[in-house]
Amino acid sequence: LDNSGSMKHQNKIQNALCAMVLAAETLKLLECDFAVMRFGGPRSQTFLKTIDEPFTNFKGQVMLAAFNGPPEGTYPANAVQRVLNTCF
């Protein structure tokens, strides 16, 4: 999920968080493995849930809380490369 400054406007981050919750709950019910990564600045790109971690209520709270910080720049290519290197 994008944590860049552009997400601060027009309720974009709130909509993205709602979509993340819906997707995570759906994938949990379907018993599908999934990962969630927060990306913005290159030093703050981090997995909020790795593909092998179970999705719990606590993990969901941690994922939502990760977006309460200041907005950052956007480096989606770095984020995609990190996901590919980590998950595949």
Side-chain angles (χ1 to χ4, degrees), residues 4-60:
S4 68
S6 66
M7 296 296 286
K8 184 170 125 176
H9 307 289
Q10 300 173 339
N11 292 328
K12 290 179 186 177
I13 194 66
Q14 290 84 0
N15 292 333
L17 291 175
C18 287
M20 177 184 69
V21 169
L22 179 62
E25 289 292 340
T26 300
L27 292 168
K28 179 182 175 181
L29 289 172
L30 294 171
E31 299 180 3
C32 294
D33 295 332
F34 66 96
V36 175
M37 181 181 184
R38 175 190 146 187
F39 71 95
R43 289 184 295 274
S44 70
Q45 294 178 357
T46 184
F47 281 93
L48 303 176
K49 183 196 164 309
T50 60
I51 202 156
D52 57 346
E53 281 182 287
F55 181 65
T56 63
N57 289 339
F58 178 74
K59 180 54 70 174

